[in-house]
Amino acid sequence: MIFSKRTSPYVSGKQDVSSIMRQVLYALIPGTAVLIWYFGWGILSNLVLAIVLAELLEWGMLKLRQRPVRPFLSDYSAVVTAWLLAVAMPAFSPWWLIAIAMIFAIVIAKHLYGGLGYNPFNPAMIGYAAVLVSYPVQMTIWPAPVDFSFVHIGLGQTLQHVFAGSIQGWDALSAATPLDAVKISLSLHKPLSEIYATGQFGLLAGQAWEWVSLAWLLGGLWLLWQRIIGWQIPVALLGTLALIASVFWLIDSQAYASPLFHLFSGAAMLGAFFIATDPVSASTTPTGKLFYAAGIGLFTYIIRTWGGYPDAIAFSVIIMNMAVPLLDYYTQPRVYGTKQGLQG
Amino acid sequence: MIQTLHKLWRNHGGLHLDYHKEDSNAAPVRHLPMAEELIIPLQQHSGYKPTLTVKAGDYVYKGQEIASHTGFMKVPLHASTSGTITAIEERPIAHPSGLSDLCVILKPDGKDDWGNARMPTYPDPNQVDGEILRQRICAAGIVGMGGAVFPAAIKLNVHDNIPIEALVINGAECEPYITCDDRLMREKPLEILRGVQIMMHIIATQRCLIGIEDNKPEAIAAMQAAREELGDQRIAIIPIPTLYPSGSEKQLIKILTGKEVPSGGRPSTIGIVCHNPATARAIYRAVVLGEPLIDRYLTITGKGVAQPCNVEVPLGTPIQHLIAHSGGYTPAAKRLAMGGPMMGISLHSDQIPVVKATNCILVSDIPENEQQPALPCIRCGRCAEACPANLLPQQLYWHSRARDFDKAEQYHLFDCIECGCCAYVCPSHIRLVDYYRFAKAEIRTQRDAKTKANIARERHDFHQERLERAKREKAEKLAKHKEQAQATTDDGKKAAIQAALERAKAKKAEAAAQATTGETTE
Ligand code: SF4
Ligand code: SF4
């Protein structure tokens, strides 16, 4: 009898890369569904376009780099990147905007750095930041959320807009996001109470947006419960953001938005559970993760409040990605039987 | 029902695994018919090879010494039964690289005759000096039977300046599938505890902590009952949570005492001595019954064997014999290993014999996800979360793979206990432990090479110095000689100098003449 010579361990856990990525995709479903509910077909068109492009680009890059295609294409990592981008981009993004974002994400941020596992930056956020910097106007205009809005703008109209340019009546539907609205109003020295009175806001943050955030939160909690992600990053990110927001809000609640507003508008929830938790580009030690995520929370608040862009998750993640090697080095756990982490 | 007032500490990491203990732990230990031939490898412990004392053709009694133990880190070897030595030759042994080593081949005569090979007995070990008992334990060939095979007598040789606070008995048996210690604790608890008392006497400690994972309630109950019977208040039977690898020596010590064995150190430096229940029992038998270590309990299990069970067999029994008496292989049999699924070593043949270290023969299938290729590390940190030593396995992997061994050592490569937790959880299916084994082996070879080179250089320097000294001495002698000679012929010397000066002058003039014609003297 011939026996296999492989060394121990001979048993292995049930999780593999593709199963982890699949769970992340499942967890994205509720938030995405709520987005579609409020913003219509545009989200779906983003999603389909992004995924198709991501897989094509991934395939092309694997071929170019002479890597085995099958195991990598089936790891779902490109789909996760595409999905995150699709839900972060404004609904009804034109195809070329998505394409540019995907090229930055998959080709530049991922494969030019060596592919899965080697990218120092979060690919989705690089893609997002690239188009945000290059096309700020297109990137901040969202359609106004309307219940059952996908009835409002039909599929045909959606496709027409995505592939052939603006549709009639589009301007009437478009609106700034709540974060943007708050920022603009504050810059005009309007007190917050006045802004909230415009009716664009719900209980916590923007109408619709707070529901979307709650749905991201739901998916995120499920990921936590499934032990796909650790608690450190979401807790530290949201905690830091809420803490700083509370401090300023307590100082002047008319000039600084409430912590709840910060948590439930923009990409705070999406960022805390789905973006900052990207294992490849995040810090890997438990303590490092706390610092990493706290940094993102801090930068998010700073950029949102005093920076040039309404939302700041993408930039904050990219900034903290750069700090990861240092964080990992200085936050090594204490090894059993030793005094400190690092020897010599 | 089972209560403990003992405080327990928690280790970092660890895993809940599928244990499969019930496959083999239900039935009492079996005794199999004697194999046709016993293969007894000479080297069965960590340390130096003992010296053969028999030759082919000799008749040996059961328990008779066949290799002796003069010298440090050597343990003798005994015949597992009576019979004839048919050969002493290289046979494949249990080694990850499938090596062969010198083995004594014994053909049993079926009589299982002790002759007068039994050692003198000490019915009341407490009256005997600890050192004498220690020598007996060594002479009985006893090594750690949990798999580490470190000579037991050396482990019991503690320094006077560090008092031993506690003897720890490792009854955790945390590897999946293995149940031989479980069975042993159920079936021979008194013998184990008597062995424990002997050890406590030797190392002069008043405390013994016996840790058993709580997935073995019967073993815990049996041991507790035995302790009641002995009425020894110094011994505590402590159920510990089932969490792999609680049975790793360092981890168990932390769980039971809260103390950590220092990196690179031994438990005795923190006042702990740790042994396995099977070792304790072997010590009892050696001291009280005069029997050397010639057999052991072991588990035969896995999907690849028809009737998983526990057996007590003579050392040297070929694995094939064990399988044949456990219902044979099933179609699932694809892999043969000695030890458990997490830390066992692969065997390439079932002709390999049972040795003192063999606690389990695992015949398993190959899980589906093992057939997939490894993906790149996604830095998910799951490995670090699972690591009981609190290492950063992905950093170790990274540096080992890049052959950056200094960095790997900085990340505490040598504190890795090779438990396999990291590889188990890795979603990219990277064979992490293989990289650590590779790096450790490379570093050790480099160190060996360095020591060898150092020794060679020292030798060379010494040789060189000797030559130089000889030369110097010779020169000095010569100079002395000359001086004496010169003193007698001082006039002659002056004449010689004069002559030499003139010769030089002439040469110079000649050279000058040649230089003007533009020619060289060459
Ligand atoms: S578990 Fe595997 S993939 Fe995750 S960090 Fe460790 S080595 Fe990398
Ligand atoms: S094999 Fe080594 S690195 Fe991996 S979990 Fe065990 S101790 Fe940690």
Side-chain angles (χ1 to χ4, degrees), chain A residues 19-107:
Chain A
S19 77
I20 291 173
M21 297 288 173
R22 263 203 319 273
Q23 310 246 47
V24 173
L25 293 177
Y26 298 153
L28 280 165
I29 289 175
T32 313
V34 177
L35 263 181
I36 293 174
W37 178 267
Y38 282 110
F39 297 99
W41 292 106
I43 300 294
L44 215 56
S45 80
N46 280 5
L47 203 59
V48 173
L49 251 177
I51 292 175
V52 170
L53 280 168
E55 288 289 272
L56 277 176
L57 289 168
E58 180 89 1
W59 179 84
M61 288 312 287
L62 288 170
K63 280 277 167 204
L64 267 180
R65 294 177 55 229
Q66 303 184 335
R67 288 299 156 100
V69 170
R70 223 153 33 107
F72 285 101
L73 260 195
S74 57
D75 67 16
Y76 294 101
S77 63
V79 181
V80 170
T81 302
W83 197 304
L84 289 175
L85 256 170
V87 296
M89 305 270 290
F92 302 100
S93 288
W95 69 270
W96 51 268
L97 197 61
I98 302 249
I100 293 172
M102 289 316 305
I103 288 171
F104 268 95
I106 302 285
V107 177

Side-chain angles (χ1 to χ4, degrees), chain B residues 208-406:
Chain B
C208 173
L209 309 172
I210 304 181
I212 307 171
E213 278 193 344
D214 56 15
N215 62 356
K216 291 178 266 296
E218 294 91 347
I220 294 170
M223 292 286 282
Q224 269 168 344
R227 198 205 73 138
E228 292 316 309
E229 199 179 325
L230 282 182
D232 194 334
Q233 297 301 318
R234 305 169 306 166
I235 301 172
I237 315 287
I238 305 161
I240 58 169
T242 301
L243 184 72
Y244 179 82
S246 298
S248 147
E249 183 173 88
K250 289 177 170 189
Q251 271 57 40
L252 182 66
I253 288 172
K254 172 80 179 276
I255 292 170
L256 292 178
T257 69
K259 288 181 166 185
E260 290 186 2
V261 181
S263 172
R266 299 207 167 280
S268 60
T269 57
I270 53 164
I272 308 278
V273 170
C274 187
H275 277 285
N276 166 277
T279 315
R281 179 189 179 223
I283 286 174
Y284 161 77
R285 286 171 68 188
V287 171
V288 180
L289 309 178
E291 294 179 5
L293 177 57
I294 50 171
D295 53 18
R296 69 159 298 151
Y297 270 42
L298 66 96
T299 306
I300 304 155
T301 185
K303 272 200 190 127
V305 45
Q307 296 150 13
C309 60
N310 279 290
V311 294
E312 186 174 28
V313 289
L315 302 178
T317 306
I319 289 164
Q320 192 195 31
H321 183 79
L322 304 178
I323 306 279
H325 285 88
S326 314
Y329 292 114
T330 68
K334 288 285 177 322
R335 171 162 20 213
L336 188 63
M338 193 173 274
M342 296 299 283
M343 297 180 78
I345 56 173
S346 304
L347 303 181
H348 59 288
S349 144
D350 56 11
Q351 302 303 311
I352 287 168
V354 169
V355 288
K356 292 175 183 177
T358 313
N359 52 1
C360 180
I361 297 299
L362 177 66
V363 195
S364 50
D365 59 346
I366 298 178
E368 222 169 86
N369 58 8
E370 253 189 39
Q371 292 149 22
Q372 297 162 4
L375 287 175
C377 165
I378 56 167
R379 294 171 32 93
C380 65
R382 282 175 170 72
C383 49
E385 225 171 90
C387 177
N390 214 358
L391 297 163
L392 293 173
Q394 97 264 27
Q395 302 281 11
L396 288 177
Y397 156 68
W398 189 256
H399 296 304
S400 303
R401 210 174 83 131
R403 297 178 144 261
D404 191 349
F405 299 132
D406 288 347

